[in-house]
Amino acid sequence: TRPVAEINPAEIKAFLTEKRGGDPQLSLATIRYLRAILSIIFGSAVDDGLISSNPVAGARGATRGRKARAAANQAVAKERPFTHEQQNDLLEWCDARDRELGDFLVTLLRTGCRPGEARALRWGDIIGDKLLIERSADDRNVITPTKTGNKRAVDMSPALKDILRLRLLKRPAATPTDYVFGNGEPIPVRTLARRFELALKECKITGHVMYDCRHTFASTLLARSRDVVYAAKMLGHSDPGTTLKHYAH
């Protein structure tokens, strides 16, 4: 047993390299999973003040060569969470210019649902403190199952509950089957994209897409709770390893 403060990036790198070439030889996916677990453990130590930095961050690239890393980077897009300042700028702009877009973005940022899932939300999907995610709207506004084909119930924050409650109060004739966003049908994806791009432009935010709201939710949740199983459940990942692969840093 050794104090965590004594463990350095070189040792993490050597450990992962040994596991990759050991007997039995672990797959690259297993090594990534192991590395993500270590990152969460040492990240918790940083949060608790036991160490000043995460040694796993300094061990990047230990388990694969340049070609493999390049291929992986092409296969999995880089996650780009919004900063707190960017989120505040966007929501303040929306509060003044496009309230519906602001409500939509808060829904993405506070639940981690995919944009198509949020576009397909109906008032009947709000059940107490939960938001039922069971369908999506594609680019042609056709309603489809979720990306994984599974349903899930996500927890709503008090702030999101208040926003949706106020939204419903402005629609006294709304029925459980009416869409939360849009006018009789889900917001057309191109219309939504134009409105979002205008908000980004006027807030001087570059290098982001709407899907980054989901990345923001996931990264924030993992940083705060360190509960990978819960995060996977909220995101609709059947395998927590998928959550770790994309969002544990």
Side-chain angles (χ1 to χ4, degrees):
T1 302
R2 295 174 55 199
V4 293
E6 294 182 3
I7 300 175
N8 58 55
E11 291 177 292
I12 298 293
K13 180 183 292 187
F15 171 75
L16 294 175
T17 301
E18 178 185 357
K19 294 298 181 183
R20 182 72 175 106
D23 184 18
Q25 186 179 45
L26 300 182
S27 68
L28 183 57
T30 301
I31 294 296
R32 287 174 177 166
Y33 187 89
L34 178 59
R35 184 189 182 284
I37 291 291
L38 290 172
S39 181
I40 288 176
I41 292 172
F42 283 101
S44 296
V46 172
D47 293 342
D48 293 340
L50 299 177
I51 54 178
S52 60
S53 62
N54 189 334
V56 181
R60 289 186 181 278
T63 62
R64 48 186 173 170
R66 182 180 300 173
K67 291 183 179 180
R69 290 197 299 272
N73 287 337
Q74 291 176 358
V76 180
K78 180 177 176 59
E79 291 78 29
R80 299 173 295 272
F82 288 101
T83 66
H84 290 296
E85 182 180 3
Q86 289 172 332
Q87 293 177 60
N88 289 337
D89 287 347
L90 278 172
L91 296 180
E92 286 179 5
W93 184 92
C94 288
D95 190 54
R97 299 281 301 277
D98 193 335
R99 185 64 61 86
E100 181 178 52
L101 176 63
D103 293 350
F104 188 86
L105 293 179
V106 172
T107 301
L108 299 183
L109 289 165
R110 297 295 180 267
T111 67
C113 65
R114 301 174 179 90
E117 294 171 342
R119 290 171 50 233
L121 284 174
R122 293 172 174 154
W123 290 112
D125 297 328
I126 301 174
I127 306 174
D129 295 334
K130 305 286 186 180
L131 194 60
L132 182 61
I133 309 294
E134 61 178 9
R135 72 189 74 83
S136 183
D138 68 13
D139 290 353
R140 296 175 297 173
N141 261 10
V142 175
I143 300 303
T144 67
T146 62
K147 180 179 179 180
T148 61
N150 297 323
K151 301 178 182 179
R152 68 186 187 279
V154 300
D155 294 323
M156 288 195 296
S157 67
L160 178 57
K161 286 178 59 180
D162 288 343
I163 286 173
L164 295 181
R165 185 181 299 114
L166 288 174
R167 189 168 181 79
L168 181 58
L169 286 174
K170 296 176 183 178
R171 294 160 176 76
T175 69
T177 59
D178 287 338
Y179 293 105
V180 175
F181 302 105
N183 185 20
E185 63 178 6
I187 306 175
V189 67
R190 291 185 180 179
T191 300
L192 185 62
R194 284 196 297 268
R195 291 159 65 179
F196 182 63
E197 288 167 4
L198 176 62
L200 290 176
K201 179 180 179 180
E202 298 207 356
C203 291
K204 296 180 172 58
I205 297 173
T206 60
H208 282 282
V209 296
M210 188 172 289
Y211 204 91
D212 291 338
C213 292
R214 178 171 166 86
H215 300 320
T216 303
F217 170 82
S219 298
T220 302
L221 182 59
L222 280 174
R224 289 178 177 175
S225 71
R226 305 289 179 184
D227 189 337
V228 181
V229 175
Y230 175 75
K233 181 180 179 182
M234 294 298 100
L235 292 165
H237 293 158
S238 58
D239 179 5
T242 301
T243 307
L244 287 172
K245 175 181 177 181
H246 288 277
Y247 301 114
H249 302 290

